[in-house]
Amino acid sequence: MEMTSSGAGAVTTKLDVDDDYPMAATAEPPCPPATERKRCRRRHVVVVASLVTLPLLAFFVLRRERSSTAWLQTAIAKLTAMNDDDGGAGFMDADDPPHGGGGHNNELLGGLLPPGMDRRSCRSRYQSSWYYKHFPFAPSRHLLEKLRAYEARHRRCAPGTPQYARSIEQLRSGRSAAAAEGGMEECRYVVWLPFDGLGNRMLSMVSAFLYALLTDRVLLAALPPDSAALFCEPFPGATWRLPADDDFPVANLFRVGQDMEQSYTRLVVDKKVGLGPPPAANATATATTTTVPPSYVYLSLGWLLRDGIFFCGEHQRVLGKINWLLLYSDLYFAPSLYAVAEFHDELRRLFPEKESVHHLLSRYLLHPANPVWSLVTRYYRSYLAPATRRIGVQVRMFGFASIPADDMYDQILNCSRQEHILPETDEAATPTAAATGGGHGNSSNNNSTAIFVASLYADYYKRLRSRYSAPRMGMAKGGGGGGSTSTSTRRVGVFQRTHEERQATENLAHNQRALAEIYLLSFSEELITSGLSTFGYVSSSLAGVRPAILLTAFDHKVPETPCRRAVSVEPCNLTPPRGLECQGKPVDKEDLARHVRVCEDFKNGVKFFD
C-alpha cells in the first residue's frame, strides 16, 4: 500500500503500479524466435514511442515549475522500473547501477563476501554496494580467514551431507556425541529459532552466527513460512535451512516458549548437566562424571533471559560437549559475549573496531531474496534515486510509552533542529547541510532532498508532507508516494511506502514489505530512528550511519531531550545478563568497560563502542 498525491504540477500516469508485489506479470518477456518477431517489434516500437512522448508531455505540463527536471526524471524512472523484474528484462537492465545510487562499488565488500556465487539467484548480494552510501569498516584479515574456514565447515556439515545425516542419528539417540562415540563430532550445530518481530529476528540471527564463528559450530536456520522467502542462502555450496519440522527429531520447534523444559539452566538445576567440583586455578571446568550430556539443549536467550549463565566461561565449556544447541532469542546478545573470557581475545582479533561487529556480519549474512530486492530497487529508482540527498525517518511507538501524535511529531522536529537533519522551511534561513549537502546523485545544479518515512502509520508522513507543501514554499506536489517542494535553493520530497497500522509478523507479505523498508532506510545518509526499536537498530547499522535516536517517552512523558546522536552504529542489547557470578577465567575488566557500555537510548542496555 502506498500513499500518493497529485497537484497542479504533478505528472499523473496509469503506469504507476502497486509496489508491494513483484511485477513479473508486467515485465516484457524476451522476443521469441521467427513466428513472433513482427509482433515483438511492434511492441518495442510502442514502448519506444512512449519513452519519446512522455518527456515531451511532461515538459509542457511542468514547464512552469523550477523543479521539472528532477521530477521528470522520476516519471521516466517509474516507466523504466516497470520492466525491471526479477529476471532483469527491460530497458533499464537490473544489473546496471541505479541513477544517483551507490558510492561504494566494491561488490565483494573488501573480500567480506565469498566470490563465485550465482548472481541471478541473489541479486542483492552483488548489487547492494551500489545503493549504500557508507562502508566505514574494512574487515580484518583474521575475520576473512575465519569466514572462509566457516564456509568450508558449513559445506562439510550442511543438510544433505553424510556428516549431517550422522549428526541427526546421534540426535535421535538421545545421547551426546561424546557419550555415544567416545569423542567429539566434527560437526556441531547451533539452530536459530524464530522469535518476535523481524528486527529482533535479524539481530538474533547475526548474534547466532557470531556465536557459531566463535565456537566452530554450524549455523542452521529453522525458517517458518512467514520467513521462508526473505533472505538468500548466505553460504556458498550449501544450505543454511534446517529441513522441515517432520524430518527433525526435536518436535514443535516453532511453538516452544522461553520457559522450555530443556533449557540449559533448568537442566543444570535438575543436575542433568553441570559442572564438576570447582576447578583449580590452572584447571578447566568439565561436565560431571555422574551425568551424561544430553543430545541437545535449548538456549533461552529471549528478553526474559532464562539462561543468563550462558555468558559464563565455565558453562561454555560444558555446552561445548553438546552437539545440538537450539537457540531461542530475540536479542542482539553479541556485546555480552565480549564478557566471556574464552571469547574475549578472539573477538578482539576478529573486530579491531568493536563498532563494526553487526555492520560487517549483517552485510555478510543477510541478503534480501529476489522478490524483496525487487520491491527495494523499484521503489528506490522510482522515488529516491533522483534526489541528491536521502534522509530516513523511522517512527515506532510502544504501548508502554505512547504519546499523542502531535507530541511525537514535535519531538521529531525538535530532534531534527538539534542535530541539523531535516531541511528548514524558512526561505530566509541559510540552508542546512542536510538540505544542500552533496551525496551521490544526478548532475543537476539544484539540491534536492528525499525524506523516506518508515512507520506503521501515515500520520507523520502526512505532517512532513504538509510541512514541505506550504504555499509560501512555492510547492509542486510530486506523484507516487509523496509531495515535493521547490525553491530557488532546495527541493524536498516526502515519501512513505506502506502504513499497515499493525505489525503482522506471522504474514510473509508483511515481512517482505518490512524488510524492504529496512533496506530503503539503510540507503540514507542521515537517519532519525526510534529508541528501543530493533527495526531502527538494524537499519542504521546496515547503513553504517550513527543515527539521531528519539528518546522513549517512558510512563507516557515526553522527554525533555528529544534525541541523542548515537556514538556507535552498533545495536543495543536490551536485556544483558546482570549479577552473574562466574567461576571461570576472569576477563580484562578495563578493556570490557571501555568497549561495552550503556546504550544511548536505554540505561539498562549495553552495546559495543570504540
Side-chain angles (χ1 to χ4, degrees):
M1 268 121 351
E2 185 174 282
M3 297 205 60
T4 62
S5 63
S6 61
V11 174
T12 59
T13 171
K14 291 185 178 180
L15 294 174
D16 211 359
V17 297
D18 186 357
D19 277 306
D20 285 347
Y21 300 97
M23 288 190 278
T26 310
E28 293 286 337
C31 292
T35 57
E36 301 265 358
R37 284 178 181 166
K38 289 184 179 180
R39 184 180 63 81
C40 198
R41 280 198 297 270
R42 288 196 299 270
R43 185 182 65 204
H44 284 177
V45 167
V46 171
V47 176
V48 171
S50 299
L51 284 173
V52 173
T53 305
L54 180 62
L56 293 175
L57 176 63
F59 173 79
F60 288 109
V61 173
L62 300 178
R63 63 186 183 277
R64 295 180 181 177
E65 295 300 332
R66 301 178 62 91
S67 59
S68 61
T69 302
W71 301 114
L72 175 60
Q73 290 171 341
T74 301
I76 295 173
K78 287 163 68 176
L79 172 63
T80 55
M82 287 188 63
N83 288 302
D84 185 16
D85 70 334
D86 288 346
F91 289 93
M92 178 180 287
D93 193 329
D95 291 331
D96 288 338
H99 178 66
H104 185 82
N105 57 10
N106 179 358
E107 63 182 14
L108 295 181
L109 304 181
L112 186 69
L113 302 180
M117 297 186 72
D118 181 24
R119 291 173 176 271
R120 295 184 72 82
S121 67
C122 185
R123 300 204 321 263
S124 66
R125 189 192 317 278
Y126 293 101
Q127 293 179 8
S128 61
S129 62
W130 301 341
Y131 297 83
Y132 286 124
K133 304 304 170 214
H134 304 284
F135 188 55
F137 307 107
S140 68
R141 178 177 297 182
H142 188 57
L143 175 60
L144 299 182
E145 292 172 352
K146 195 80 172 181
L147 290 174
R148 302 296 88 85
Y150 174 86
E151 291 157 7
R153 182 167 62 253
H154 196 101
R155 284 192 295 272
R156 292 193 301 270
C157 301
T161 64
Q163 287 279 15
Y164 178 80
R166 182 180 174 186
S167 296
I168 286 291
E169 287 306 312
Q170 172 262 313
L171 181 60
R172 285 197 177 98
S173 74
R175 295 180 296 169
S176 71
E181 303 183 23
M184 293 301 297
E185 281 278 317
E186 177 193 11
C187 300
R188 297 178 302 137
Y189 300 88
V190 54
V191 178
W192 175 87
L193 302 175
F195 178 29
D196 230 330
L198 181 61
N200 298 78
R201 293 183 182 191
M202 294 173 74
L203 291 175
S204 65
M205 275 181 167
V206 171
S207 301
F209 180 59
L210 176 59
Y211 182 68
L213 287 180
L214 293 172
T215 57
D216 294 332
R217 290 183 179 270
V218 172
L219 173 65
L220 298 179
L223 297 174
D226 59 52
S227 301
L230 290 181
F231 299 104
C232 301
E233 293 280 1
F235 309 122
T239 183
W240 73 329
R241 296 190 178 190
L242 190 75
D245 197 21
D246 293 342
D247 298 328
F248 194 68
V250 182
N252 300 322
L253 285 178
F254 298 144
R255 292 175 289 279
V256 67
Q258 291 191 78
D259 195 21
M260 67 285 289
E261 293 184 0
Q262 285 287 108
S263 76
Y264 179 68
T265 299
R266 181 167 295 185
L267 293 175
V268 170
V269 170
D270 293 343
K271 301 187 184 303
K272 294 180 180 179
V273 67
L275 304 175
N282 60 350
T284 60
T286 60
T288 61
T289 56
T290 58
T291 61
V292 176
S295 60
Y296 75 95
V297 300
Y298 280 108
L299 297 176
S300 182
L301 302 182
W303 60 274
L304 293 175
L305 200 60
R306 301 291 191 191
D307 286 337
I309 57 175
F310 169 83
F311 297 99
C312 286
E314 65 271 21
H315 289 285
Q316 282 299 323
R317 288 190 288 274
V318 175
L319 289 169
K321 297 181 178 296
I322 300 170
N323 261 32
W324 290 87
L325 304 181
L326 311 182
L327 175 65
Y328 197 74
S329 176
D330 61 348
L331 298 174
Y332 180 63
F333 59 81
S336 299
L337 294 174
Y338 201 62
V340 181
E342 285 73 7
F343 300 150
H344 191 85
D345 290 342
E346 182 68 356
L347 280 169
R348 292 174 67 176
R349 294 180 65 201
L350 289 171
F351 303 100
E353 297 172 286
K354 305 302 175 293
E355 192 181 355
S356 70
V357 176
H358 185 272
H359 177 79
L360 291 174
L361 292 185
S362 60
R363 288 206 181 180
Y364 170 85
L365 185 71
L366 303 177
H367 306 284
N370 283 350
V372 178
W373 190 242
S374 290
L375 302 182
V376 173
T377 56
R378 281 203 316 276
Y379 194 90
Y380 181 90
R381 291 169 186 261
S382 296
Y383 304 117
L384 306 181
T388 56
R389 188 169 185 82
R390 283 157 284 275
I391 298 171
V393 179
Q394 181 261 334
V395 185
R396 176 64 193 270
M397 192 80 76
F398 299 97
F400 62 85
S402 61
I403 55 176
D406 288 345
D407 293 340
M408 185 75 247
Y409 179 65
D410 288 342
Q411 185 179 354
I412 293 170
L413 293 187
N414 291 335
C415 172
S416 172
R417 294 187 185 104
Q418 174 184 299
E419 300 298 328
H420 308 291
I421 297 175
L422 297 174
E424 290 297 332
T425 56
D426 186 355
E427 290 182 314
T430 301
T432 64
T436 62
H440 305 278
N442 57 48
S443 59
S444 171
N445 292 327
N446 292 323
N447 293 297
S448 56
T449 299
I451 301 171
F452 178 72
V453 180
S455 174
L456 288 173
Y457 307 101
D459 188 77
Y460 308 106
Y461 155 74
K462 290 180 178 178
R463 290 169 185 258
L464 285 171
R465 184 186 63 176
S466 177
R467 170 181 169 82
Y468 294 108
S469 300
R472 65 187 177 86
M473 294 292 291
M475 190 283 257
K477 291 182 181 179
S484 67
T485 296
S486 174
T487 72
S488 59
T489 57
R490 66 180 74 96
R491 295 187 305 279
V492 179
V494 180
F495 306 93
Q496 178 169 11
R497 192 177 183 284
T498 64
H499 48 91
E500 303 205 0
E501 305 298 329
R502 68 180 187 89
Q503 185 171 319
T505 302
E506 70 285 353
N507 183 279
L508 175 60
H510 172 91
N511 286 334
Q512 288 178 319
R513 293 189 289 268
L515 184 58
E517 295 197 3
I518 284 176
Y519 277 84
L520 286 167
L521 280 171
S522 76
F523 299 154
S524 304
E525 289 101 314
E526 284 274 10
L527 280 166
I528 298 175
T529 63
S530 294
L532 305 184
S533 171
T534 56
F535 198 100
Y537 290 160
V538 174
S539 299
S540 56
S541 183
L542 277 168
V545 168
R546 294 169 181 167
I549 306 178
L550 298 167
L551 298 184
T552 306
F554 289 109
D555 298 324
H556 311 286
K557 296 179 181 178
V558 180
E560 293 184 8
T561 302
C563 63
R564 291 196 182 105
R565 178 70 72 167
V567 182
S568 166
V569 303
E570 274 286 296
C572 182
N573 179 6
L574 297 171
T575 311
R578 297 191 178 279
L580 283 181
E581 296 183 3
C582 300
Q583 303 173 16
K585 175 183 174 183
V587 72
D588 183 341
K589 292 185 178 180
E590 183 177 340
D591 184 71
L592 179 64
R594 184 165 58 250
H595 293 299
V596 179
R597 306 203 304 268
V598 172
C599 304
E600 298 93 342
D601 57 323
F602 189 50
K603 65 180 181 179
N604 293 326
V606 297
K607 64 189 289 188
F608 277 124
F609 289 83
D610 281 318

